[in-house]
Amino acid sequence: MESTYDGTEGGFGTLLVTRVAPQGWKRLRDVRLAALAESPEMFGSSLAREQGFDEAEWRRRAARPATFLARRDGLDVGIAGAYELDGDWHLAGMWIAPSVRGTGVVEALVDACESVAREAGATTVALGVMEDNPRGRHAYLRLGYRLTGEREHVRDGRDELQMVKALISSAQP
């Protein structure tokens, strides 16, 4: 069963962000494949590779601790996840459908991911954004992330810029 994280209303229709559970593997698969088809250069995988995944692999991915899907007016329009690695929390796999970019979807997905990290006791969240993705970089800057000055060279010859954000505990004013 998918659990609702947040629902908001705005001038762009109802936005619902849900945390994916293993039973939601088909939705996860469909959104991830749409992301890879639309923006293949933004991910460390390929559409052909992930089209070959079987149901068991998609269920395994859906069982990860925190993957979120954004749905607006009955259509899945975004995806993002948060994970912990060696004590550090990371936001990864962000994609927003072109038709809803700039309508608050990125904010809702980032908020959902940050909440999971915060609830786990994290004080920071890190992410990487492709250097040739100025729109994504500006969105993260607007949401309080800062460039660390570090970059990771990815296999296709481009650089992924590293960003970090200090989390404020919900117990703090």
Side-chain angles (χ1 to χ4, degrees), residues 30-32 41 51 64-65 70-71 76-77 83 102 106 108 112 115 117 124 132 134 138 146 161 165 167 170:
D30 293 348
V31 176
R32 176 68 179 181
E41 69 284 357
Q51 283 175 325
R64 289 179 176 165
R71 179 172 275 206
D76 288 321
V77 296
Y83 67 94
V106 71
S115 290
T124 61
D132 60 353
H138 292 301
R146 67 173 177 76
L161 305 176
K165 178 180 180 179
L167 297 177
S170 56

Side-chain angles (χ1 to χ4, degrees), residues 85-165:
L85 180 65
D86 298 328
D88 296 321
W89 278 86
H90 303 268
L91 189 151
M94 175 72 71
W95 176 79
I96 310 298
S99 63
V100 297
R101 291 178 183 159
T103 67
V105 178
V106 71
E107 290 85 349
L109 285 168
V110 167
D111 185 54
C113 291
E114 289 175 357
S115 290
V116 168
R118 191 179 292 110
E119 289 168 10
T123 57
T124 61
V125 173
L127 61 85
V129 62
M130 298 308 292
E131 186 173 36
D132 60 353
N133 181 2
R135 187 173 189 156
R137 189 171 57 251
H138 292 301
Y140 294 130
L141 288 168
R142 184 174 38 78
L143 293 172
Y145 286 81
R146 67 173 177 76
L147 292 163
T148 66
E150 296 176 25
R151 57 182 59 226
E152 184 176 320
H153 199 64
V154 295
R155 63 180 171 216
D156 67 2
R158 296 179 303 147
D159 284 343
E160 185 177 67
L161 305 176
Q162 303 304 304
M163 301 182 83
V164 68
K165 178 180 180 179

